[in-house]
Amino acid sequence: MTMLLLRRAAQTAVRTNHHRSFSASQTHLNERKGLVLGVFEEEGEQGSLHLTQAAAGFDQTSSGKLSELLKISGPTLKKGKSRIFYGIHKDFPCVAVVGLGKKDAGVCGAENWDTSKESIRQAVSAGCRLLQDLEVNHVEVDACGDAQSAAEGAALGLFHYDQLKSKKKTKVTTQLHGSADSVGWEKGVAYAEGQNLARLLMEAPANHITPTAFANTIEEKLAPHAERVTINKRSQSWIEEQQMGAFLSVSKGSEEPPVFLELHYNGSPDSKQAPLLLVGKGVTFDSGGISLKPSPSMDAMRADMGGAATVCASIVTAAALKLPVNIIGLAPLCENMPSGKATKPGDVVTAKNGKTIQVDNTDAEGRLILADALCYGHTFNPRAIVNVATLTGAMDVALGSAATGVFTNSDWLWEQLHKASVVTGDRVWRMPLFQHYTRQVTDSQLADLNNIGKYSRSGGACTAAAFLREFVTAPHWAHLDIAGVMSNKDEIPYLRKGMSGRPTRTLVEFAAGLAQSG
C-alpha cells in the first residue's frame, strides 16, 4: 500500500512538472537548463542500479529524490535507454537519467572496441537529444567515468544538418557536470567537432560544396592555427605542370575547375621529423561520368568527397589539439561529370609516375585521382601514408557500416590504426592485398593497368586497393575504403541519420598515438 502511494505521488509529480514545462512562456523555456546523469547496472543483482559519482552527488542534494523516483518510475534502466524527471531540483527543471550498462566493461575482443566508452557515448547522446527535443538549450553532462567519451556522445548526438532549413532544431550548449576532468572533456569536444565538420562537408549539397568552396572552407577552419599550418590551393595549371593525367582525366568533364588542396601541419618541435601523410579522395559530386550511375540515390554522391572531408577535418582537429606531430594532407578535389569533354570508356591516360591506365569504367574514378596524389605524396618522404576514400560499393557489400576496410602493406601501421579504432569505437577491419588481385588490374589490353578488375565485380574493393598499390613504393601505406561507413541510418545510435563523418576520430587518435610514440 505504501509503495502504491509512493508510485502515485511520483507519477503526479512527474505529470505536474511535465505540464508546467509546456505551459511556460518561450522566454522562460529558453532559460531552462537540463542535466544528463548516468546509472550503471549492478553486477549480479537483477534490477539493481548503481549511481555514478555525479548522480550520487545530485541525489544527495535532492534529498534522495532521484534514487526514489528511479525505483518507482518503471523497470530497471537498461543500457542506452533514458528516462526524464521534472522538478527534482530548482537549478535543473529537466533531468535525463541514462543507462550505462555494466560498470568497467572494458575492451571487448569480439567487438573490437571499448564497451564502456561506447556505452557512455550512446547513453549521453540519448539523454542530450531527449532534452533537445524539449527545447532545453543548455545541458550539463555527467562524465559517467570517462569525460572524453561523454563529450563525444553529447556533441555527436546533438549534431543535425539543418543549415538550409527555415525551421531549425534547438541549438544546445553543453558543459561538464560533477567532474574535474575538464581536459578529457575538452579533448572529447575537439574529437567530436572534427567529425561534425566532416559530416557538415559531406551532407552539404554539391552546388554548395564545389572543389573551390571545399578548399575555402578548410582554409577558414585552419585560419586560427595559421602559425602551425601552411595551405596551398593548387590550380588546374599547377596540376597540369605536375603531369597528373589521371586526376585531370576525371575533372575534365565538369565545368567546375579542379583544386589540389595541400595542407601542412607542423606540430612537432622537431621540424625535420618525417611527416604523416594523409590523402583523401575529394570527388565533390560523382555522377559516374559517361559510365553514368543509376539516378536513384545519386544525390548521396555529394558525399563522395568523404575521404577528403575526414582527412582535412582530422588535420583541423590535430591543429586545435596542438598535437606534437607533423602531418601533410592532400586532397585532389573535382567533380566527375558527363559532357562532350569527359573521358570515354576505353580511353588511355598517363599518371604522374608515367604508368598508362586504360579507363574502362569512368565510374571507377576515385582510384585515378588518388593515384596521382599518392605519387606526389612520396616526394615528402613520409613516415607513413594513409589514404582514405569512399572507393567501392563492394566495400559496403563486404562489411556494411560496421567497420572501415583497411588494406595495408605494413603490419605496424595496421596495429596503430586498429589500436586507435578500439579507443574511438569507430572500427577498422583488415582486408587482403594479395597478388591474386594485382594480376587482375595489370592484365590490360591497351595499357599498363586497367582501372577495373579483370573479372569486373568480383572482389571489387580488393582490386581497387591493388590498383592503388601500383602507385606506392613506401613501406608503410594503408588504404582505408570508407564507402560502407559513409552514411548512417540507425546503426550507430549516437549519430543521427545522414552522412557520418567516419572515421575522423580514429584518424585523430591514430595521429595522437604517433605523436606519443615520437
Side-chain angles (χ1 to χ4, degrees):
M1 185 65 182
T2 309
M3 183 56 78
L4 182 63
L5 288 171
L6 274 170
R7 188 185 292 273
R8 281 179 181 161
Q11 287 170 345
T12 305
V14 170
R15 274 200 302 269
T16 304
N17 285 285
H18 182 90
H19 173 75
R20 188 165 70 241
S21 70
F22 282 99
S23 64
S25 70
Q26 191 63 38
T27 309
H28 176 64
L29 201 63
N30 286 343
E31 290 170 354
R32 289 192 317 160
K33 290 199 298 186
L35 178 62
V36 175
L37 295 171
V39 291
F40 294 102
E41 289 175 30
E42 280 282 21
E43 290 285 344
E45 291 185 46
Q46 191 82 26
S48 183
L49 292 171
H50 173 72
L51 301 180
T52 61
Q53 188 179 343
F58 178 83
D59 190 43
Q60 199 173 357
T61 62
S62 64
S63 307
K65 278 186 194 173
L66 180 66
S67 51
E68 185 183 320
L69 286 169
L70 278 168
K71 283 175 189 170
I72 63 176
S73 61
T76 306
L77 209 53
K78 297 292 182 188
K79 184 171 86 167
K81 299 298 181 184
S82 52
R83 198 166 293 159
I84 196 151
F85 300 109
Y86 302 91
I88 302 179
H89 195 286
K90 60 181 175 59
D91 293 338
F92 302 101
C94 306
V95 178
V97 182
V98 295
L100 299 167
K102 291 183 169 58
K103 192 177 184 184
D104 301 322
V107 174
C108 174
E111 287 294 334
N112 278 259
W113 64 23
D114 187 314
T115 304
S116 297
K117 290 178 182 294
E118 199 66 4
S119 297
I120 291 167
R121 291 183 193 105
Q122 291 178 20
V124 167
S125 73
C128 287
R129 282 182 194 163
L130 200 56
L131 294 172
Q132 185 182 40
D133 289 343
L134 293 172
E135 299 184 5
V136 172
N137 58 12
H138 182 73
V139 175
E140 294 193 14
V141 179
D142 180 356
C144 302
D146 186 329
Q148 181 179 343
S149 298
E152 289 175 11
L156 292 170
L158 288 166
F159 176 87
H160 179 68
Y161 185 84
D162 56 9
Q163 271 73 355
L164 305 175
K165 292 190 174 186
S166 345
K167 191 177 179 182
K168 301 181 189 297
K169 276 194 174 287
T170 304
K171 290 287 177 269
V172 181
T173 56
T174 58
Q175 74 179 70
L176 184 59
H177 176 86
S179 167
D181 188 11
S182 58
V183 173
W185 174 266
E186 291 303 329
K187 185 179 176 186
V189 168
Y191 273 51
E193 284 180 349
Q195 184 167 344
N196 288 345
L197 170 58
R199 292 163 87 184
L200 189 75
L201 290 164
M202 292 169 73
E203 198 70 81
N207 62 328
H208 285 241
I209 297 293
T210 61
T212 304
F214 182 106
N216 290 343
T217 302
I218 295 302
E219 184 176 39
E220 185 185 307
K221 295 291 181 185
L222 284 169
H225 315 292
E227 75 285 355
R228 291 167 178 258
V229 177
T230 307
I231 302 166
N232 292 308
K233 296 185 287 185
R234 312 289 196 183
S235 65
Q236 179 156 339
S237 58
W238 180 90
I239 299 165
E240 288 166 353
E241 283 168 20
Q242 292 293 316
Q243 298 183 306
M244 294 183 174
F247 179 20
L248 289 165
S249 77
V250 177
S251 69
K252 70 179 189 177
S254 173
E255 292 297 315
E256 287 289 340
V259 177
F260 192 94
L261 182 61
E262 184 178 323
L263 310 174
H264 291 250
Y265 167 66
N266 303 304
S268 173
D270 177 9
S271 59
K272 292 181 181 176
Q273 181 198 72
L276 163 64
L277 180 71
L278 301 178
V279 183
K281 171 188 169 184
V283 177
T284 58
F285 186 74
D286 182 16
S287 68
I290 297 296
S291 307
L292 197 66
K293 290 178 181 288
S295 55
S297 302
M298 195 198 283
D299 67 292
M301 289 298 96
R302 66 186 183 276
D304 206 28
M305 30 57 81
T310 54
V311 160
C312 293
S314 64
I315 292 173
V316 171
T317 308
L321 291 167
K322 295 183 168 58
L323 292 185
V325 64
N326 294 334
I327 307 174
I328 294 174
L330 304 177
L333 300 161
C334 67
E335 291 181 339
N336 184 24
M337 297 290 283
S339 75
K341 295 185 292 184
T343 296
K344 304 170 292 296
D347 284 0
V348 173
V349 300
T350 306
K352 182 173 169 59
N353 66 350
K355 287 189 179 181
T356 55
I357 304 162
Q358 182 175 336
V359 182
D360 275 353
N361 187 331
T362 65
D363 193 24
E365 85 299 332
R367 64 201 73 182
L368 297 175
I369 71 173
L370 286 173
D372 282 338
L374 286 167
C375 291
Y376 177 66
H378 279 73
T379 62
F380 299 107
N381 298 314
R383 65 197 290 197
I385 301 174
V386 176
N387 72 254
V388 188
T390 49
L391 207 64
T392 63
M395 192 72 255
D396 186 27
V397 172
L399 294 181
S401 59
T404 292
V406 176
F407 301 81
T408 180
N409 61 0
S410 165
D411 291 341
W412 167 80
L413 189 50
W414 159 250
E415 284 161 15
Q416 300 303 309
L417 286 163
H418 179 253
K419 186 168 73 173
S421 77
V422 169
V423 173
T424 63
D426 198 347
R427 297 174 289 192
V428 295
W429 191 255
R430 192 168 188 178
M431 301 290 287
L433 258 183
F434 302 144
Q435 283 297 315
H436 174 92
Y437 301 114
T438 301
R439 286 193 290 272
Q440 293 180 40
V441 294
T442 52
D443 185 359
S444 172
Q445 186 181 354
L446 305 174
D448 298 326
L449 299 166
N450 199 303
N451 80 323
I452 53 171
K454 185 177 176 182
Y455 305 117
S456 186
R457 295 179 64 82
S458 298
C462 303
T463 54
F467 178 92
L468 291 178
R469 193 181 192 177
E470 292 300 300
F471 301 88
V472 173
T473 56
H476 301 295
W477 161 72
H479 157 55
L480 275 57
D481 193 334
I482 61 170
V485 302
M486 180 180 85
S487 63
N488 192 63
K489 292 179 280 294
D490 56 9
E491 310 94 317
I492 309 298
Y494 49 88
L495 301 177
R496 281 193 168 100
K497 183 180 179 182
M499 300 308 169
S500 70
R502 296 170 62 190
T504 303
R505 287 180 301 114
T506 295
L507 291 173
V508 176
E509 182 66 20
F510 162 66
L514 284 191
Q516 284 176 353
S517 65

